[in-house]
Amino acid sequence: MEDIPCCQRTLYSYVDKQYLSVINLDLPRKVRYKKRKKKQLDTPVPRYRKNRTYRDLLDFLASSPDSSIVELDVVEGAGGKSGPVLLTLFFRNCSLIRYILPS
């Protein structure tokens, strides 16, 4: 290893890409260890439209007043993600607010 001026990880990458005439059986650590699995994210990535503001919503409502829009909000309790959660639905066309406490 002292003769090659690169780190061990780079050397293993070169072997995987077949830049060298070495195979995985020639590398004792490579054969002995199983490849690690990638962990899944605990929380999903938030999906929302970037660069949208409340002013954009008001402009849309002014241009099409007959559209039916429902606004959803999530209110988390004091315990954070593990505490109680309250969902609020605001129906704009009839000014109705509905609260849902999921079980």
Side-chain angles (χ1 to χ4, degrees):
M1 186 70 182
E2 294 81 22
D3 298 338
I4 302 173
C6 65
C7 69
Q8 184 177 3
R9 180 70 244 157
T10 305
L11 191 62
Y12 284 140
S13 296
Y14 288 166
V15 171
D16 287 338
K17 294 177 183 177
Q18 298 177 348
Y19 292 157
L20 305 172
S21 62
V22 179
I23 59 173
N24 286 335
L25 289 175
D26 296 332
L27 306 172
R29 287 185 57 122
K30 180 79 175 191
V31 176
R32 186 171 51 203
Y33 291 114
K34 292 182 180 179
K35 190 172 183 178
R36 292 183 182 152
K37 295 180 182 177
K38 291 185 180 181
K39 291 184 179 180
Q40 297 291 328
L41 294 176
D42 292 339
T43 58
V45 178
R47 296 174 191 257
Y48 55 90
R49 299 197 184 254
K50 294 182 180 180
N51 300 325
R52 292 277 178 101
T53 62
Y54 187 66
R55 183 79 225 152
D56 294 333
L57 175 64
L58 295 178
D59 292 342
F60 174 75
L61 288 174
S63 65
S64 56
D66 294 337
S67 62
S68 96
I69 294 179
V70 179
E71 295 181 28
L72 169 77
D73 239 345
V74 178
V75 180
E76 294 178 354
K81 300 275 184 203
S82 61
V85 174
L86 181 68
L87 301 175
T88 62
L89 297 167
F90 176 55
F91 298 87
R92 284 187 158 267
N93 57 352
C94 59
S95 297
L96 172 72
I97 297 179
R98 172 133 190 222
Y99 300 101
I100 301 172
L101 183 63
S103 54

